[in-house]
Amino acid sequence: MIFWIILYLFLIFSDPIEDNDPIWVFVIARGAHIIPQIMISYFLAYWLLPKFLYTKKYVLFTIYAVISAYIICAFSRVLMVHIAEPMFRPMPFHQEPILEILTDWGKLISGYFLTIYSIALFFLLIKLTFERIEEQSLKKEKTAIELKMLKAQLNPHFLFNTLNNIYSLSIINSPKTSESIGKLSEILDYVLYRCNQKYVPLAGEITLLENYISLERLRYDERLEVTFTHHVAPQTEIAPLILLSMVENAFKHGAGEDSGSPKITINLTQEEDVLTFTVFNTTAKLPQEKSGGAIGLENSKKQLELLYPNTHTIAIEQQENSFQVVITLKTTAHES
């Protein structure tokens, strides 16, 4: 509505008033011009383009485009000559017969086609621009919602098992009780309150992993061998919880399913603006597909696709008694 009102007023006041014609003459004349422009604009935007051009039905699109162009140009000429002009031109004056209007292709093309379709194309350009802006806004909103949901999927089994382990330590008055409570508190504080940004300092993620590993060690005592090494710039920023999801997956499908002496090796390195995160874990046997398995790994994949499009790689190597995931991602574009 705003677009057409502005255009209508512009058409009325853009031409100088000749022969002392009153303003209502221009109101009628420009109204006769703008009505066909409105009609063809919405016809193109909401029927012809979506139904035929966007669906790649090019032959039908061309046929309907030519027919509609002829109809709207002829209608515009008839509207002007037989309806608008008699309202403000003194009679008698020469009026082209409708049959002559319909057969005068040259005048329809030269006098009406360019005028009508230039406005229609301008309308389409504005419409597509606003749709693009809205689409980007919705995409950002959708991405934020998806990331929020992914971050909320901290494995509840980890919390349940950790609380059980702390309870067991408290019964025997273990000196590890207070330390374990402190580490769990740090994890919850970080996950709930400190990683609400799109990107967070890598140092916080490293501390999160260290606390997580310390608490998981309580479940396996000495039979589990865990190695975590990191050589990175702590101030580098990264999407939160991606690394934790992968480590969760290693404990769940490595140590959690291996009753022997499981091993987990975690390595985080940085070379200029490229981070490489490797998680290796032994398995009791070749992992089988499960309906709820590898949730942590799937979460990592989704977050990487959302936050590092075309700037990350993920390689999975699965053997009979081991499983390894290697993620590389470029951080330069996200540091700020």
Side-chain angles (χ1 to χ4, degrees), residues 90-115:
M91 298 294 287
F93 65 89
H94 173 70
Q95 289 178 292
E96 298 172 83
I98 292 180
L99 181 60
E100 182 180 339
I101 291 175
L102 296 179
T103 55
D104 192 350
W105 292 80
K107 181 173 288 188
L108 293 180
I109 294 174
S110 62
Y112 291 87
F113 179 81
L114 292 179
T115 302

Side-chain angles (χ1 to χ4, degrees), residues 257 283-288 319-322:
E257 297 176 359
T283 57
K285 58 181 179 179
L286 187 64
Q288 297 179 351
Q319 298 183 3
E320 184 176 359
N321 294 305
S322 66

Side-chain angles (χ1 to χ4, degrees), residues 183-240:
K183 292 184 181 298
L184 179 59
S185 176
E186 287 185 21
I187 289 177
L188 294 177
D189 177 67
Y190 183 83
V191 171
L192 295 176
Y193 303 111
R194 300 162 104 187
C195 65
N196 293 326
Q197 303 290 332
K198 190 175 182 179
Y199 301 99
V200 296
L202 188 55
E205 292 291 302
I206 292 174
T207 301
L208 174 67
L209 294 182
E210 291 173 339
N211 288 333
Y212 181 86
I213 292 169
S214 296
L215 290 176
E216 285 285 38
R217 285 180 187 274
L218 297 176
R219 298 175 56 189
Y220 304 101
D221 298 324
E222 299 299 327
R223 74 180 184 89
L224 172 63
E225 181 182 336
V226 183
T227 304
F228 178 30
T229 58
H230 48 86
H231 303 283
V232 296
Q235 69 274 12
T236 300
E237 293 193 338
I238 187 174

Side-chain angles (χ1 to χ4, degrees), residues 27-273:
V27 170
I28 295 174
R30 295 315 179 192
H33 278 125
I34 202 171
I35 288 174
Q37 294 169 345
I38 293 175
M39 293 172 62
I40 197 62
S41 295
Y42 286 99
F43 174 77
L44 291 173
Y46 294 100
W47 192 79
L48 189 61
L49 295 181
K51 191 173 181 65
F52 297 105
L53 185 61
Y54 297 162
T55 57
K56 300 181 180 180
K57 298 176 182 177
Y58 300 120
V59 175
L60 287 174
F61 170 77
T62 302
I63 293 172
Y64 281 114
V66 171
I67 293 175
S68 61
Y70 168 73
I71 292 174
I72 202 66
C73 291
F75 169 74
S76 181
R77 181 62 180 163
V78 171
L79 182 64
M80 176 59 71
V81 172
H82 289 274
I83 296 178
E85 287 186 351
M87 293 183 181
F88 57 81
R89 290 186 65 179
M91 298 294 287
F93 65 89
H94 173 70
Q95 289 178 292
E96 298 172 83
I98 292 180
L99 181 60
E100 182 180 339
I101 291 175
L102 296 179
T103 55
D104 192 350
W105 292 80
K107 181 173 288 188
L108 293 180
I109 294 174
S110 62
Y112 291 87
F113 179 81
L114 292 179
T115 302
I116 293 173
Y117 275 82
S118 61
I119 297 299
L121 292 177
F122 184 51
F123 170 82
L124 288 175
L125 178 62
I126 293 177
K127 178 178 180 295
L128 292 175
T129 301
F130 276 98
E131 286 180 349
R132 181 66 175 174
I133 294 173
E134 184 178 5
E135 180 184 345
Q136 291 294 328
S137 177
L138 291 174
K139 185 177 180 181
K140 289 181 180 179
E141 183 178 351
K142 178 175 178 290
T143 299
I145 293 173
E146 289 178 349
L147 288 173
K148 186 175 181 180
M149 292 177 63
L150 291 171
K151 292 175 185 178
Q153 294 181 22
L154 180 64
N155 195 331
H157 294 290
F158 161 72
L159 297 176
F160 179 77
N161 290 328
T162 301
L163 289 172
N164 273 340
N165 292 331
I166 293 175
Y167 175 72
S168 300
L169 291 173
S170 66
I171 290 178
I172 62 174
N173 293 321
S174 171
K176 296 181 180 179
T177 304
S178 59
E179 179 185 353
S180 300
I181 294 174
K183 292 184 181 298
L184 179 59
S185 176
E186 287 185 21
I187 289 177
L188 294 177
D189 177 67
Y190 183 83
V191 171
L192 295 176
Y193 303 111
R194 300 162 104 187
C195 65
N196 293 326
Q197 303 290 332
K198 190 175 182 179
Y199 301 99
V200 296
L202 188 55
E205 292 291 302
I206 292 174
T207 301
L208 174 67
L209 294 182
E210 291 173 339
N211 288 333
Y212 181 86
I213 292 169
S214 296
L215 290 176
E216 285 285 38
R217 285 180 187 274
L218 297 176
R219 298 175 56 189
Y220 304 101
D221 298 324
E222 299 299 327
R223 74 180 184 89
L224 172 63
E225 181 182 336
V226 183
T227 304
F228 178 30
T229 58
H230 48 86
H231 303 283
V232 296
Q235 69 274 12
T236 300
E237 293 193 338
I238 187 174
L241 304 185
I242 288 180
L243 308 183
L244 177 63
S245 297
M246 293 178 58
V247 174
E248 276 188 306
N249 191 68
F251 276 97
K252 180 179 179 181
H253 299 286
E257 297 176 359
D258 188 349
S259 58
S261 299
K263 294 182 179 180
I264 297 177
T265 302
I266 306 166
N267 187 34
L268 178 62
T269 60
Q270 180 176 1
E271 185 174 347
E272 295 182 353
D273 59 352

